């Protein structure tokens, strides 16, 4: 069995994408000298180098890669070695132009970017297998090799192709999935609008049509595109496993909901030996550290709670957003250690040396254009020392308090056309509920709706429009056995084929919530509704209302105005040994805090009201001890109570009672046994 940690890496991973091919070899010696100065332990090499490794068909040049791997090994730097299959060479596309993807409207994308691949193309698959085989045969036993890195950021920027090769592949996938055309007709409901098929050969991808197409077809094509990319990953992984046994294989995910929406990471997490992730701050004016925490929690959850590796983030600003501000002093360390607190076994960057040419020349790097006499470089060196002092956390696991349910298939289904309101956004609800839990200082695990939830006193469902019968039964059993459940509106509506569950809404959740929904009544832009509690208190909702009919649930808050006036807005249902809450409108932060406060009381979660706002407190536990990470995102010193005395690892000082954390700083306490 392949290892699940990088081979030969005895410290936390620290380094970044290293692209020596962009620089003359005279720079390489300086690079490794600076890597030693910064405490670099691992770099990713060769990810975009196919055109240099195979400059002509079946003509290979590994000399430069031999030299750089040897140099890194001599200087104690481990290597995450890429298969460069994200960008085939120009000569390949000249010979196989049909390997470039076709959009739904029939436009053939051109060579000159990255990730422009038809994943069904047989010539691409053969060429990818060949270059992967050549690399594995040459470097399987190289002493610098820590792990293999297949491709790069699958699904970004292109996941689906709509060409004839994909059409044929899609038909084969449908036959394997449904057993034939009758199963497809049943799943897609093709009796509607006369879309019935008599043979699978009549089915094409959901290309641009006169109006909205079949939603079951569109949903399955998203599944097919994801599965096709995963087939290609598995093909390369299996080559590497065969030729390079005992070396783990990964590919870098982009789990943040703000960064990739075309990949089912629950499925991908089962295929890699080590889960790795790339994360970049989205400068949309929000609290970026909350998005970072959410992405880290989601990545750890995809890894099944096991340690994972942050394979890319930025030292400072990126270059691909409309506005790309620099990170504030100390923010690089806070970002890096925030990921580590939530399960990462290190912090790596894109990239080592800032490029002088190409599309990402203004993307920050560990070695900036200004060289070593810069704030960024000084912070890089300081971060390297900090990570070195945290080596004993390797193998420990982050301790979570609650679970949030998330399913990419549901997200895909909800985002199809012709839903009750375009203003309802599954990602927005997930972000909002996560932020409310974050502000209550609760650490979150994400979970698939059919996963075992028995370890969590509280489970939150921000947006699960699509819910299988099995998932509905899972939540029912969870509450019956004493769990506390919180569900937001427009959840449990359709099954895995986007067919509405039989009977009243919310079909998969009717019993556990103890209610039915007679009708949705989305609100117009800027329209608000008031909801009132039994004590006369008042909240507001927007975007959505419903006509809720209690069937055992008690009304907690009621609509005071709007079409649903007098109907329940928030309900609570005692079911078995547990409790299920339902909210039928979009609550803002204040309302979510009130709702989750009630639910937390039902779940008997301890109050953490004594912890300061925007100060994270996260635990990692394992054989080497219990560690408390405190990350202060504020401009003032924070004082945080400790359960026990211990040693602060970044300063070496003893800590007890209340831990003082300077403004913008991080402290990590290893508690005494």
């Amino acid at each position: 069995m392949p290892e699940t940690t990088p081979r030969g890496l005895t410290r936390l991973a620290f380094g970044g994408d290293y692209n020596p091919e962009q620089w003359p070899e005279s720079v390489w010696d300086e690079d490794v000298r600076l890597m030693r100065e910064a405490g670099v332990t691992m770099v990713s090499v060769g990810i975009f180098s196919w055109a240099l490794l195979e400059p002509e068909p079946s003509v290979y040049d590994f000399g430069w890669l031999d030299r750089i791997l040897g140099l890194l090994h001599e200087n104690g730097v481990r290597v995450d070695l890429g298969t460069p299959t994200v960008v085939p060479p120009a000569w390949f596309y000249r010979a196989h132009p049909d390997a470039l993807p076709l959009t739904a409207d029939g436009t053939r994308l051109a060579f000159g970017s990255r990730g422009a691949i038809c994943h069904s193309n047989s010539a691409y698959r053969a060429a990818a297998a060949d270059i992967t085989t050549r690399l594995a045969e040459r470097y399987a036993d190289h002493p610098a090799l820590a792990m293999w890195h297949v491709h790069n950021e699958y699904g970004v920027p292109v996941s689906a192709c709509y060409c004839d090769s994909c059409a044929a592949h899609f038909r084969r996938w449908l036959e394997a999935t449904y057993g034939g055309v009758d199963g497809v007709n049943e799943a897609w409901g093709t009796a509607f609008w006369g879309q019935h098929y008599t043979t699978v050969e009549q089915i094409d991808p959901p290309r641009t049509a006169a109006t909205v197409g079949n939603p079951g077809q569109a949903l399955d094509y998203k599944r097919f595109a994801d599965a096709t990319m995963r087939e290609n990953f598995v093909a390369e992984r299996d080559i590497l496993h065969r030729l390079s046994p005992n070396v783990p294989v990964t590919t870098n995910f982009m789990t943040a909901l703000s960064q990739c929406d075309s990949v089912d990471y629950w499925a991908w997490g089962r295929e890699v030996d080590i889960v790795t992730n790339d994360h970049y701050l989205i400068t949309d004016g929000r609290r970026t550290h909350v998005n970072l925490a959410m992405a880290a929690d989601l990545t750890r959850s995809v890894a099944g709670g096991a340690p994972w590796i942050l394979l890319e983030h930025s030292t400072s600003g990126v270059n691909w957003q409309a506005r790309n501000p620099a990170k504030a002093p100390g923010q690089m360390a806070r970002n890096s250690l925030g990921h580590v607190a939530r399960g990462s076994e290190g912090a790596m960057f894109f990239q080592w040396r800032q490029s002088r040419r190409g599309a990402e020349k203004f993307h920050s790097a560990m070695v900036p254009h200004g060289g070593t006499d810069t704030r960024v470089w000084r912070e890089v060196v300081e971060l390297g020392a900090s990570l070195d002092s945290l080596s004993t956390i390797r193998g420990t696991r982050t301790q979570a308090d609650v679970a949030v349910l998330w399913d990419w298939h549901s997200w895909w289904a909800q985002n199809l056309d012709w839903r009750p309101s375009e203003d309802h956004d599954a990602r927005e609800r997930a972000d909002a509920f996560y932020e409310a839990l974050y502000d209550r200082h609760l650490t979150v695990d994400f979970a698939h709706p059919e996963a075992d939830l028995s370890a969590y006193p509280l489970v939150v469902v921000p947006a699960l429009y699509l819910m299988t019968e099995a998932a509905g039964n899972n939540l029912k059993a969870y509450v019956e056995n004493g769990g506390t459940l919180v569900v937001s509106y427009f959840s449990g509506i359709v099954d895995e084929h986007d067919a509405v569950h039989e009977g009243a809404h919310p079909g998969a959740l009717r019993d556990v919530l103890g209610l039915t929904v007679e009708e949705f009544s989305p609100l117009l832009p800027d329209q608000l509704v008031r909801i009132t509690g039994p004590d006369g208190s008042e909240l507001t909702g927007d975007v959505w209302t419903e006509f809720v009919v209690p069937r055992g649930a008690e009304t907690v808050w009621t609509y005071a105005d709007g079409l649903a006036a007098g109907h329940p807005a928030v309900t609570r249902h005692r079911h078995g040994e547990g409790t299920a809450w339902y909210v039928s409108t979009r609550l803002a932060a204040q309302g979510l805090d009130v709702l989750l406060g009630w639910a937390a009381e039902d779940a008997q979660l301890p109050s953490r009201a004594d912890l300061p706002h925007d100060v994270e407190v996260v635990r990692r536990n394992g054989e080497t001890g219990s560690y408390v990470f405190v990350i202060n995102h504020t401009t003032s010193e924070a004082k945080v109570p400790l359960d026990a005395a211990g040693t602060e690892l970044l300063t070496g000082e003893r800590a007890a009672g209340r831990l003082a954390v300077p403004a913008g700083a991080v402290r990590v306490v290893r508690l005494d046994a």
Side-chain angles (χ1 to χ4, degrees), residues 275-590:
V275 166
T276 63
N277 195 52
D278 299 349
H279 181 264
Y280 294 97
L281 302 181
I282 302 300
T283 53
D284 61 358
R286 292 180 54 78
R287 298 155 70 200
T288 56
H289 55 278
V290 180
N291 175 272
L292 183 154
M294 182 177 178
D297 284 343
L298 185 50
T299 306
R300 182 187 68 254
S301 302
V302 166
W308 54 279
I309 298 176
L310 175 66
L311 213 53
E312 288 184 27
H313 72 312
S314 65
T315 57
S316 192
V318 297
N319 74 310
W320 38 265
Q321 299 181 78
R323 296 162 190 84
N324 299 288
K327 290 185 177 179
Q331 189 177 1
M332 181 202 306
R334 289 198 303 278
N335 289 171
S336 301
L337 297 177
H339 285 287
V340 174
R342 295 175 186 273
S344 177
E345 299 280 63
M348 298 179 66
F349 296 91
F350 181 85
Q351 57 182 324
W352 165 252
R353 183 179 287 273
Q354 194 168 13
S355 301
R356 292 185 56 228
R357 299 174 177 84
E360 295 188 283
K361 58 182 171 288
F362 296 117
H363 190 296
S364 61
M366 298 175 77
V367 182
H369 290 145
T372 58
D373 189 19
T374 57
R375 173 179 67 87
V376 165
W377 173 253
R378 288 187 287 272
E379 291 194 17
V380 163
V381 174
E382 183 178 351
L383 177 60
S386 294
L387 289 171
D388 188 55
S389 70
L390 299 180
S391 292
T392 58
I393 71 163
R394 294 175 71 239
T396 61
R397 295 192 172 210
T398 301
Q399 178 181 318
D401 302 298
V402 302
V404 170
L405 300 194
W406 181 257
D407 180 22
W408 278 273
H409 292 228
S410 178
W411 195 18
W412 298 341
Q414 187 182 299
N415 286 345
L416 297 175
D417 293 318
W418 288 12
R419 298 302 186 242
S421 174
E422 66 178 15
D423 295 326
H424 172 48
D425 181 344
R427 177 195 154 193
E428 183 279 331
R429 282 294 80 188
D431 286 346
F433 271 89
Y434 182 89
E435 188 166 1
L437 292 166
Y438 176 98
D439 284 341
R440 298 188 72 84
H441 299 283
L442 296 172
T443 301
V444 170
D445 274 349
F446 286 84
H448 187 275
E450 296 179 17
D452 180 6
L453 303 172
S454 58
Y456 304 102
L458 174 63
V459 170
V460 176
V461 180
L464 280 177
Y465 159 75
L466 182 155
M467 186 176 288
T468 64
E469 182 179 353
N473 290 336
N474 188 41
L475 293 183
K476 182 179 177 182
Y478 166 75
V479 175
E480 286 174 345
N481 290 322
T484 301
L485 178 68
V486 176
V487 177
S488 187
Y489 63 90
F490 205 46
S491 293
I493 306 302
V494 300
D495 67 12
E496 60 269 34
H497 305 300
D498 198 45
V500 174
H501 286 287
E502 289 189 15
H505 302 313
L509 293 169
R510 281 193 305 261
D511 293 342
V512 70
L513 295 177
L515 55 82
T516 58
V517 174
E518 289 189 352
E519 193 174 3
F520 308 131
S521 185
L523 301 177
L524 299 178
D526 302 321
Q527 186 178 1
L528 300 175
V529 290
R530 293 181 300 113
I531 63 174
T532 56
D535 59 354
S537 57
E538 184 173 295
L539 298 171
T540 59
D542 66 359
V543 170
W544 194 274
T545 61
E546 294 175 346
F547 294 93
V548 174
V549 179
R551 310 283 184 181
E554 61 179 298
T555 299
V556 181
W557 290 68
T558 305
Y559 288 109
D561 54 19
L563 289 180
H567 286 264
V570 177
T571 62
R572 180 173 181 264
H573 184 220
R574 297 184 184 275
H575 184 70
E577 299 297 318
T579 305
W581 291 82
Y582 184 64
V583 55
S584 63
T585 187
R586 190 175 81 163
L587 295 176
Q590 178 191 0

Side-chain angles (χ1 to χ4, degrees), residues 2-5 233 237 241 247-250 269 271-275:
E3 295 293 329
T4 57
T5 57
F233 166 77
R237 180 205 65 192
H241 279 174
V247 178
V249 180
T250 191
E271 301 294 350
V272 297
D273 299 324
I274 304 173
V275 166

Side-chain angles (χ1 to χ4, degrees), residues 165-304:
S165 293
C166 288
H169 193 181
F170 183 44
R171 294 174 195 126
R172 294 192 298 272
W173 183 88
L174 289 171
E175 288 188 310
T177 301
Y178 294 110
V181 69
D182 291 341
V184 176
N185 283 322
E186 174 65 22
W188 292 359
T190 55
F192 185 80
W193 275 2
Q195 296 172 345
H196 187 81
Y197 299 101
T198 55
T199 68
V200 172
E201 285 67 33
Q202 296 168 355
I203 301 174
D204 284 324
R207 295 167 176 148
T208 302
T211 185
V212 173
N214 186 298
Q217 179 190 25
L219 176 58
D220 267 346
Y221 205 74
K222 289 180 179 294
R223 290 171 169 145
F224 160 75
D226 176 59
T228 302
M229 292 188 293
R230 199 161 59 251
E231 283 178 12
N232 285 353
F233 166 77
V234 168
E236 292 189 45
R237 180 205 65 192
D238 288 352
I239 291 169
L240 296 169
H241 279 174
R242 176 171 55 85
L243 297 174
S244 183
N246 303 318
V247 178
V249 180
T250 191
T251 184
N252 45 337
F253 295 166
M254 298 191 75
T255 63
L257 306 185
S258 54
Q259 292 176 220
C260 183
D261 63 359
S262 60
V263 174
D264 175 7
Y265 286 116
W266 293 127
W268 283 78
R270 294 189 292 269
E271 301 294 350
V272 297
D273 299 324
I274 304 173
V275 166
T276 63
N277 195 52
D278 299 349
H279 181 264
Y280 294 97
L281 302 181
I282 302 300
T283 53
D284 61 358
R286 292 180 54 78
R287 298 155 70 200
T288 56
H289 55 278
V290 180
N291 175 272
L292 183 154
M294 182 177 178
D297 284 343
L298 185 50
T299 306
R300 182 187 68 254
S301 302
V302 166

Side-chain angles (χ1 to χ4, degrees), residues 42 46 169 273 580 609 613 618:
M42 186 167 73
H169 193 181
D273 299 324
H613 185 69
V618 183

